[in-house]
Amino acid sequence: MHIVMVEPEIPGNTGNVARLCAANHITLHLVKPLGFSIDDKHLKRAGLDYWSLVDVQIHENFQEVLDKYKDHRFFYLTTKSEQCYADIQFQYDDMLVFGKETKGLPEDLLKANPERCFRVPMVEQARSLNLSNTVAIVSYEAMRQLGFPGMGKSGIGIKNL
């Protein structure tokens, strides 16, 4: 599974997504321009000590991602879609693409791929969810459908506390 963040702006969101990717063996793709430095203390704090577990790929632009992963399926997450993310039948190498916090994904990209655009349902009065929350919701649905590959489904046990 791959998470693609196109021009993320808030280091805390990206750090949270990096931690999620580390915990789930998901490759994280960051598409420039980034709204922060990779060395940003807020980015590192949000990812805590998980950065060594994350496969992070940095791309100069989104076209580079499309070219490099042309054999993968791309799904675009946007508040503008009428389709629900839970209707996707996920596969292991899917690319889940998320836009920047203030504007989302470019409209021309969405218009060129309407059948691959999906949203997380919410009340009409809400403009959007937090980006890292949306990534978590969608990626965990994908992992659930795939049987949580390579992940522990149980903890140490309550009786062992």
Side-chain angles (χ1 to χ4, degrees):
M1 187 69 55
H2 301 261
I3 299 296
V4 181
M5 298 179 74
V6 179
E7 302 179 12
E9 300 168 311
I10 301 173
N13 281 336
T14 302
N16 289 340
V17 172
R19 185 174 180 175
L20 179 139
C21 289
N24 294 292
H25 302 291
I26 297 172
T27 301
L28 175 59
H29 301 266
L30 301 177
V31 179
K32 292 181 179 180
L34 307 178
F36 48 84
S37 164
I38 295 295
D39 296 327
D40 189 292
K41 67 178 181 177
H42 299 293
L43 177 71
K44 288 184 176 179
R45 184 179 305 134
L48 296 173
D49 57 346
Y50 290 83
W51 283 103
S52 64
L53 301 174
V54 185
D55 178 10
V56 181
Q57 306 290 317
I58 308 291
H59 303 278
E60 292 300 317
N61 54 58
F62 187 63
Q63 188 61 50
E64 182 179 299
V65 178
L66 290 171
D67 292 344
K68 186 172 181 178
Y69 296 93
K70 59 185 169 214
D71 295 331
H72 289 65
R73 299 185 322 159
F74 283 77
F75 294 104
Y76 305 98
L77 284 298
T78 174
T79 58
K80 298 168 180 76
S81 180
E82 296 173 350
Q83 301 181 98
C84 177
Y85 76 97
D87 294 331
I88 301 171
Q89 296 299 309
F90 292 98
Q91 296 176 9
Y92 288 101
D93 282 334
D94 286 343
M95 309 290 286
L96 306 179
V97 183
F98 300 84
K100 60 179 148 183
E101 290 90 340
T102 56
K103 295 182 180 179
L105 291 166
E107 288 185 7
D108 59 332
L109 178 65
L110 301 177
K111 287 178 183 178
N113 299 282
E115 72 287 350
R116 294 180 184 202
C117 294
F118 294 86
R119 68 178 282 124
V120 173
M122 66 188 91
V123 298
E124 289 184 28
Q125 296 83 359
R127 187 175 64 249
S128 65
L129 295 172
N130 173 276
L131 178 60
S132 64
N133 290 340
T134 303
V135 172
I137 290 167
V138 176
S139 64
Y140 263 91
E141 172 60 15
M143 294 293 104
R144 184 195 67 78
Q145 286 185 21
L146 298 170
F148 299 106
M151 292 186 253
K153 296 181 196 172
S154 61
I156 61 168
I158 302 301
K159 65 183 174 194
N160 296 319
L161 295 177

